PDB file of all heavy atoms in Angstrom:
ATOM      1  N   VAL K 263     -93.322  22.067 132.246  1.00 97.00           N
ATOM      2  CA  VAL K 263     -93.377  20.603 132.095  1.00 97.00           C
ATOM      3  C   VAL K 263     -92.170  20.120 131.311  1.00 97.00           C
ATOM      4  O   VAL K 263     -91.514  20.902 130.612  1.00 97.00           O
ATOM      5  CB  VAL K 263     -94.658  20.171 131.342  1.00 97.00           C
ATOM      6  CG1 VAL K 263     -95.907  20.537 132.124  1.00 97.00           C
ATOM      7  CG2 VAL K 263     -94.710  20.746 129.928  1.00 97.00           C
ATOM      8  N   THR K 264     -91.894  18.839 131.435  1.00 98.00           N
ATOM      9  CA  THR K 264     -90.894  18.231 130.550  1.00 98.00           C
ATOM     10  C   THR K 264     -91.587  17.158 129.720  1.00 98.00           C
ATOM     11  O   THR K 264     -92.464  16.448 130.222  1.00 98.00           O
ATOM     12  CB  THR K 264     -89.733  17.592 131.340  1.00 98.00           C
ATOM     13  OG1 THR K 264     -90.288  16.789 132.377  1.00 98.00           O
ATOM     14  CG2 THR K 264     -88.839  18.618 131.970  1.00 98.00           C
ATOM     15  N   PRO K 265     -91.235  17.064 128.446  1.00 98.00           N
ATOM     16  CA  PRO K 265     -91.920  16.098 127.580  1.00 98.00           C
ATOM     17  C   PRO K 265     -91.613  14.652 127.980  1.00 98.00           C
ATOM     18  O   PRO K 265     -90.491  14.368 128.407  1.00 98.00           O
ATOM     19  CB  PRO K 265     -91.337  16.409 126.200  1.00 98.00           C
ATOM     20  CG  PRO K 265     -90.037  17.086 126.454  1.00 98.00           C
ATOM     21  CD  PRO K 265     -90.179  17.825 127.754  1.00 98.00           C
ATOM     22  N   ASN K 266     -92.594  13.791 127.850  1.00 98.00           N
ATOM     23  CA  ASN K 266     -92.375  12.371 128.152  1.00 98.00           C
ATOM     24  C   ASN K 266     -91.771  11.695 126.917  1.00 98.00           C
ATOM     25  O   ASN K 266     -92.471  11.081 126.104  1.00 98.00           O
ATOM     26  CB  ASN K 266     -93.703  11.699 128.531  1.00 98.00           C
ATOM     27  CG  ASN K 266     -94.233  12.242 129.839  1.00 98.00           C
ATOM     28  OD1 ASN K 266     -93.475  12.655 130.705  1.00 98.00           O
ATOM     29  ND2 ASN K 266     -95.547  12.253 129.991  1.00 98.00           N
ATOM     30  N   ASP K 267     -90.448  11.854 126.791  1.00 98.00           N
ATOM     31  CA  ASP K 267     -89.774  11.364 125.583  1.00 98.00           C
ATOM     32  C   ASP K 267     -88.782  10.239 125.878  1.00 98.00           C
ATOM     33  O   ASP K 267     -88.025   9.825 125.003  1.00 98.00           O
ATOM     34  CB  ASP K 267     -89.075  12.525 124.850  1.00 98.00           C
ATOM     35  CG  ASP K 267     -88.083  13.281 125.747  1.00 98.00           C
ATOM     36  OD1 ASP K 267     -87.771  12.790 126.847  1.00 98.00           O
ATOM     37  OD2 ASP K 267     -87.639  14.373 125.350  1.00 98.00           O
ATOM     38  N   GLN K 268     -88.797   9.745 127.126  1.00 98.00           N
ATOM     39  CA  GLN K 268     -87.792   8.755 127.507  1.00 98.00           C
ATOM     40  C   GLN K 268     -87.943   7.437 126.737  1.00 98.00           C
ATOM     41  O   GLN K 268     -86.964   6.839 126.300  1.00 98.00           O
ATOM     42  CB  GLN K 268     -87.857   8.513 129.022  1.00 98.00           C
ATOM     43  CG  GLN K 268     -86.628   7.823 129.592  1.00 98.00           C
ATOM     44  CD  GLN K 268     -85.332   8.576 129.303  1.00 98.00           C
ATOM     45  OE1 GLN K 268     -85.273   9.795 129.485  1.00 98.00           O
ATOM     46  NE2 GLN K 268     -84.319   7.873 128.817  1.00 98.00           N
ATOM     47  N   LEU K 269     -89.212   7.005 126.575  1.00 98.00           N
ATOM     48  CA  LEU K 269     -89.461   5.760 125.833  1.00 98.00           C
ATOM     49  C   LEU K 269     -88.822   5.836 124.450  1.00 98.00           C
ATOM     50  O   LEU K 269     -88.194   4.892 123.975  1.00 98.00           O
ATOM     51  CB  LEU K 269     -90.968   5.603 125.587  1.00 98.00           C
ATOM     52  CG  LEU K 269     -91.854   4.844 126.554  1.00 98.00           C
ATOM     53  CD1 LEU K 269     -93.276   4.824 125.999  1.00 98.00           C
ATOM     54  CD2 LEU K 269     -91.336   3.442 126.771  1.00 98.00           C
ATOM     55  N   ALA K 270     -89.034   6.990 123.813  1.00 98.00           N
ATOM     56  CA  ALA K 270     -88.512   7.196 122.461  1.00 98.00           C
ATOM     57  C   ALA K 270     -86.986   7.221 122.474  1.00 98.00           C
ATOM     58  O   ALA K 270     -86.329   6.607 121.630  1.00 98.00           O
ATOM     59  CB  ALA K 270     -89.064   8.497 121.886  1.00 98.00           C
ATOM     60  N   ALA K 271     -86.433   7.932 123.464  1.00 98.00           N
ATOM     61  CA  ALA K 271     -84.967   8.017 123.551  1.00 98.00           C
ATOM     62  C   ALA K 271     -84.386   6.620 123.767  1.00 98.00           C
ATOM     63  O   ALA K 271     -83.405   6.234 123.119  1.00 98.00           O
ATOM     64  CB  ALA K 271     -84.566   8.951 124.686  1.00 98.00           C
ATOM     65  N   ASP K 272     -85.009   5.855 124.665  1.00 98.00           N
ATOM     66  CA  ASP K 272     -84.505   4.502 124.942  1.00 98.00           C
ATOM     67  C   ASP K 272     -84.581   3.612 123.699  1.00 98.00           C
ATOM     68  O   ASP K 272     -83.815   2.660 123.561  1.00 98.00           O
ATOM     69  CB  ASP K 272     -85.312   3.846 126.077  1.00 98.00           C
ATOM     70  CG  ASP K 272     -85.054   4.523 127.419  1.00 98.00           C
ATOM     71  OD1 ASP K 272     -84.086   5.297 127.509  1.00 98.00           O
ATOM     72  OD2 ASP K 272     -85.834   4.287 128.367  1.00 98.00           O
ATOM     73  N   ALA K 273     -85.538   3.919 122.821  1.00 98.00           N
ATOM     74  CA  ALA K 273     -85.684   3.109 121.605  1.00 98.00           C
ATOM     75  C   ALA K 273     -84.761   3.605 120.487  1.00 98.00           C
ATOM     76  O   ALA K 273     -84.810   3.107 119.360  1.00 98.00           O
ATOM     77  CB  ALA K 273     -87.140   3.131 121.136  1.00 98.00           C
ATOM     78  N   GLY K 274     -83.955   4.625 120.796  1.00 98.00           N
ATOM     79  CA  GLY K 274     -82.980   5.107 119.816  1.00 98.00           C
ATOM     80  C   GLY K 274     -83.544   6.132 118.839  1.00 98.00           C
ATOM     81  O   GLY K 274     -82.904   6.452 117.832  1.00 98.00           O
ATOM     82  N   LEU K 275     -84.729   6.677 119.137  1.00 98.00           N
ATOM     83  CA  LEU K 275     -85.276   7.728 118.271  1.00 98.00           C
ATOM     84  C   LEU K 275     -84.621   9.056 118.657  1.00 98.00           C
ATOM     85  O   LEU K 275     -84.204   9.239 119.804  1.00 98.00           O
ATOM     86  CB  LEU K 275     -86.793   7.825 118.450  1.00 98.00           C
ATOM     87  CG  LEU K 275     -87.571   6.546 118.136  1.00 98.00           C
ATOM     88  CD1 LEU K 275     -89.050   6.714 118.489  1.00 98.00           C
ATOM     89  CD2 LEU K 275     -87.426   6.182 116.656  1.00 98.00           C
ATOM     90  N   GLU K 276     -84.593   9.985 117.712  1.00 98.00           N
ATOM     91  CA  GLU K 276     -83.967  11.273 118.029  1.00 98.00           C
ATOM     92  C   GLU K 276     -84.870  12.081 118.963  1.00 98.00           C
ATOM     93  O   GLU K 276     -86.079  12.224 118.717  1.00 98.00           O
ATOM     94  CB  GLU K 276     -83.706  12.071 116.744  1.00 98.00           C
ATOM     95  CG  GLU K 276     -82.860  13.307 117.033  1.00 98.00           C
ATOM     96  CD  GLU K 276     -82.677  14.209 115.815  1.00 98.00           C
ATOM     97  OE1 GLU K 276     -83.012  13.788 114.691  1.00 98.00           O
ATOM     98  OE2 GLU K 276     -82.211  15.343 116.025  1.00 98.00           O
ATOM     99  N   VAL K 277     -84.254  12.598 120.009  1.00 98.00           N
ATOM    100  CA  VAL K 277     -84.993  13.356 121.014  1.00 98.00           C
ATOM    101  C   VAL K 277     -84.208  14.626 121.321  1.00 98.00           C
ATOM    102  O   VAL K 277     -83.001  14.578 121.489  1.00 98.00           O
ATOM    103  CB  VAL K 277     -85.129  12.468 122.284  1.00 98.00           C
ATOM    104  CG1 VAL K 277     -85.417  13.286 123.505  1.00 98.00           C
ATOM    105  CG2 VAL K 277     -86.206  11.406 122.090  1.00 98.00           C
ATOM    106  N   GLN K 278     -84.900  15.763 121.313  1.00 97.00           N
ATOM    107  CA  GLN K 278     -84.251  17.048 121.675  1.00 97.00           C
ATOM    108  C   GLN K 278     -85.277  17.857 122.429  1.00 97.00           C
ATOM    109  O   GLN K 278     -86.047  18.588 121.829  1.00 97.00           O
ATOM    110  CB  GLN K 278     -83.916  17.840 120.408  1.00 97.00           C
ATOM    111  CG  GLN K 278     -82.640  17.445 119.721  1.00 97.00           C
ATOM    112  CD  GLN K 278     -82.392  18.377 118.541  1.00 97.00           C
ATOM    113  OE1 GLN K 278     -82.500  19.591 118.637  1.00 97.00           O
ATOM    114  NE2 GLN K 278     -82.061  17.789 117.403  1.00 97.00           N
ATOM    115  N   ASN K 279     -85.354  17.666 123.734  1.00 97.00           N
ATOM    116  CA  ASN K 279     -86.434  18.275 124.529  1.00 97.00           C
ATOM    117  C   ASN K 279     -87.771  17.962 123.875  1.00 97.00           C
ATOM    118  O   ASN K 279     -88.599  18.829 123.621  1.00 97.00           O
ATOM    119  CB  ASN K 279     -86.240  19.797 124.662  1.00 97.00           C
ATOM    120  CG  ASN K 279     -87.331  20.422 125.525  1.00 97.00           C
ATOM    121  OD1 ASN K 279     -87.796  19.810 126.483  1.00 97.00           O
ATOM    122  ND2 ASN K 279     -87.768  21.625 125.170  1.00 97.00           N
ATOM    123  N   GLY K 280     -88.024  16.679 123.614  1.00 98.00           N
ATOM    124  CA  GLY K 280     -89.214  16.228 122.902  1.00 98.00           C
ATOM    125  C   GLY K 280     -88.785  15.279 121.788  1.00 98.00           C
ATOM    126  O   GLY K 280     -87.606  15.253 121.410  1.00 98.00           O
ATOM    127  N   ILE K 281     -89.737  14.515 121.293  1.00 98.00           N
ATOM    128  CA  ILE K 281     -89.418  13.536 120.247  1.00 98.00           C
ATOM    129  C   ILE K 281     -89.419  14.283 118.906  1.00 98.00           C
ATOM    130  O   ILE K 281     -90.414  14.908 118.539  1.00 98.00           O
ATOM    131  CB  ILE K 281     -90.461  12.402 120.227  1.00 98.00           C
ATOM    132  CG1 ILE K 281     -90.589  11.776 121.631  1.00 98.00           C
ATOM    133  CG2 ILE K 281     -90.110  11.352 119.183  1.00 98.00           C
ATOM    134  CD1 ILE K 281     -91.814  10.889 121.816  1.00 98.00           C
ATOM    135  N   VAL K 282     -88.304  14.232 118.223  1.00 98.00           N
ATOM    136  CA  VAL K 282     -88.172  15.010 116.985  1.00 98.00           C
ATOM    137  C   VAL K 282     -89.028  14.366 115.880  1.00 98.00           C
ATOM    138  O   VAL K 282     -88.906  13.174 115.593  1.00 98.00           O
ATOM    139  CB  VAL K 282     -86.694  15.081 116.547  1.00 98.00           C
ATOM    140  CG1 VAL K 282     -86.555  15.789 115.210  1.00 98.00           C
ATOM    141  CG2 VAL K 282     -85.868  15.780 117.630  1.00 98.00           C
ATOM    142  N   VAL K 283     -89.919  15.178 115.302  1.00 98.00           N
ATOM    143  CA  VAL K 283     -90.737  14.681 114.185  1.00 98.00           C
ATOM    144  C   VAL K 283     -90.603  15.623 112.992  1.00 98.00           C
ATOM    145  O   VAL K 283     -90.280  16.799 113.147  1.00 98.00           O
ATOM    146  CB  VAL K 283     -92.243  14.557 114.559  1.00 98.00           C
ATOM    147  CG1 VAL K 283     -92.455  13.514 115.631  1.00 98.00           C
ATOM    148  CG2 VAL K 283     -92.840  15.896 114.970  1.00 98.00           C
ATOM    149  N   ASP K 284     -90.889  15.082 111.806  1.00 97.00           N
ATOM    150  CA  ASP K 284     -90.878  15.923 110.612  1.00 97.00           C
ATOM    151  C   ASP K 284     -92.272  16.522 110.404  1.00 97.00           C
ATOM    152  O   ASP K 284     -93.161  16.372 111.248  1.00 97.00           O
ATOM    153  CB  ASP K 284     -90.376  15.130 109.395  1.00 97.00           C
ATOM    154  CG  ASP K 284     -91.320  13.994 108.998  1.00 97.00           C
ATOM    155  OD1 ASP K 284     -92.482  13.960 109.485  1.00 97.00           O
ATOM    156  OD2 ASP K 284     -90.903  13.128 108.196  1.00 97.00           O
ATOM    157  N   ALA K 285     -92.460  17.175 109.277  1.00 95.00           N
ATOM    158  CA  ALA K 285     -93.737  17.857 109.034  1.00 95.00           C
ATOM    159  C   ALA K 285     -94.898  16.877 108.898  1.00 95.00           C
ATOM    160  O   ALA K 285     -96.065  17.288 108.880  1.00 95.00           O
ATOM    161  CB  ALA K 285     -93.616  18.707 107.780  1.00 95.00           C
ATOM    162  N   PHE K 286     -94.586  15.582 108.813  1.00 96.00           N
ATOM    163  CA  PHE K 286     -95.646  14.576 108.702  1.00 96.00           C
ATOM    164  C   PHE K 286     -95.843  13.828 110.024  1.00 96.00           C
ATOM    165  O   PHE K 286     -96.527  12.814 110.071  1.00 96.00           O
ATOM    166  CB  PHE K 286     -95.322  13.601 107.566  1.00 96.00           C
ATOM    167  CG  PHE K 286     -95.190  14.313 106.249  1.00 96.00           C
ATOM    168  CD1 PHE K 286     -93.948  14.742 105.803  1.00 96.00           C
ATOM    169  CD2 PHE K 286     -96.308  14.614 105.497  1.00 96.00           C
ATOM    170  CE1 PHE K 286     -93.820  15.446 104.614  1.00 96.00           C
ATOM    171  CE2 PHE K 286     -96.195  15.314 104.301  1.00 96.00           C
ATOM    172  CZ  PHE K 286     -94.953  15.739 103.863  1.00 96.00           C
ATOM    173  N   GLY K 287     -95.199  14.334 111.070  1.00 98.00           N
ATOM    174  CA  GLY K 287     -95.345  13.701 112.385  1.00 98.00           C
ATOM    175  C   GLY K 287     -94.486  12.459 112.552  1.00 98.00           C
ATOM    176  O   GLY K 287     -94.600  11.747 113.542  1.00 98.00           O
ATOM    177  N   ARG K 288     -93.627  12.197 111.554  1.00 98.00           N
ATOM    178  CA  ARG K 288     -92.798  10.986 111.625  1.00 98.00           C
ATOM    179  C   ARG K 288     -91.546  11.221 112.446  1.00 98.00           C
ATOM    180  O   ARG K 288     -90.896  12.256 112.320  1.00 98.00           O
ATOM    181  CB  ARG K 288     -92.347  10.569 110.221  1.00 98.00           C
ATOM    182  CG  ARG K 288     -93.327   9.684 109.547  1.00 98.00           C
ATOM    183  CD  ARG K 288     -92.673   8.847 108.442  1.00 98.00           C
ATOM    184  NE  ARG K 288     -93.724   8.045 107.857  1.00 98.00           N
ATOM    185  CZ  ARG K 288     -94.484   8.455 106.850  1.00 98.00           C
ATOM    186  NH1 ARG K 288     -94.265   9.619 106.288  1.00 98.00           N
ATOM    187  NH2 ARG K 288     -95.450   7.679 106.399  1.00 98.00           N
ATOM    188  N   THR K 289     -91.192  10.228 113.246  1.00 98.00           N
ATOM    189  CA  THR K 289     -89.933  10.280 113.982  1.00 98.00           C
ATOM    190  C   THR K 289     -88.827   9.813 113.051  1.00 98.00           C
ATOM    191  O   THR K 289     -89.060   9.580 111.855  1.00 98.00           O
ATOM    192  CB  THR K 289     -89.984   9.336 115.204  1.00 98.00           C
ATOM    193  OG1 THR K 289     -90.066   7.994 114.710  1.00 98.00           O
ATOM    194  CG2 THR K 289     -91.178   9.628 116.098  1.00 98.00           C
ATOM    195  N   THR K 290     -87.653   9.575 113.620  1.00 97.00           N
ATOM    196  CA  THR K 290     -86.552   9.105 112.775  1.00 97.00           C
ATOM    197  C   THR K 290     -86.757   7.648 112.347  1.00 97.00           C
ATOM    198  O   THR K 290     -85.987   7.137 111.541  1.00 97.00           O
ATOM    199  CB  THR K 290     -85.208   9.294 113.504  1.00 97.00           C
ATOM    200  OG1 THR K 290     -85.376   8.992 114.899  1.00 97.00           O
ATOM    201  CG2 THR K 290     -84.724  10.731 113.409  1.00 97.00           C
ATOM    202  N   ASP K 291     -87.765   6.975 112.872  1.00 98.00           N
ATOM    203  CA  ASP K 291     -88.176   5.645 112.381  1.00 98.00           C
ATOM    204  C   ASP K 291     -89.495   5.846 111.623  1.00 98.00           C
ATOM    205  O   ASP K 291     -90.489   6.277 112.213  1.00 98.00           O
ATOM    206  CB  ASP K 291     -88.377   4.696 113.577  1.00 98.00           C
ATOM    207  CG  ASP K 291     -88.855   3.319 113.152  1.00 98.00           C
ATOM    208  OD1 ASP K 291     -89.435   3.189 112.047  1.00 98.00           O
ATOM    209  OD2 ASP K 291     -88.672   2.375 113.936  1.00 98.00           O
ATOM    210  N   PRO K 292     -89.521   5.572 110.315  1.00 97.00           N
ATOM    211  CA  PRO K 292     -90.723   5.892 109.536  1.00 97.00           C
ATOM    212  C   PRO K 292     -91.989   5.137 109.975  1.00 97.00           C
ATOM    213  O   PRO K 292     -93.098   5.550 109.620  1.00 97.00           O
ATOM    214  CB  PRO K 292     -90.344   5.511 108.097  1.00 97.00           C
ATOM    215  CG  PRO K 292     -89.035   4.820 108.162  1.00 97.00           C
ATOM    216  CD  PRO K 292     -88.415   5.064 109.503  1.00 97.00           C
ATOM    217  N   ALA K 293     -91.837   4.083 110.769  1.00 98.00           N
ATOM    218  CA  ALA K 293     -93.037   3.367 111.252  1.00 98.00           C
ATOM    219  C   ALA K 293     -93.570   3.972 112.544  1.00 98.00           C
ATOM    220  O   ALA K 293     -94.586   3.530 113.076  1.00 98.00           O
ATOM    221  CB  ALA K 293     -92.698   1.889 111.486  1.00 98.00           C
TER     222      ALA K 293
END
Side-chain angles (χ1 to χ4, degrees):
V263 297
T264 48
N266 293 330
D267 56 12
Q268 197 57 46
L269 268 182
D272 291 346
L275 301 174
E276 189 185 348
V277 160
Q278 278 184 47
N279 182 35
I281 306 166
V282 176
V283 295
D284 66 13
F286 301 93
R288 272 202 181 88
T289 66
T290 38
D291 178 337

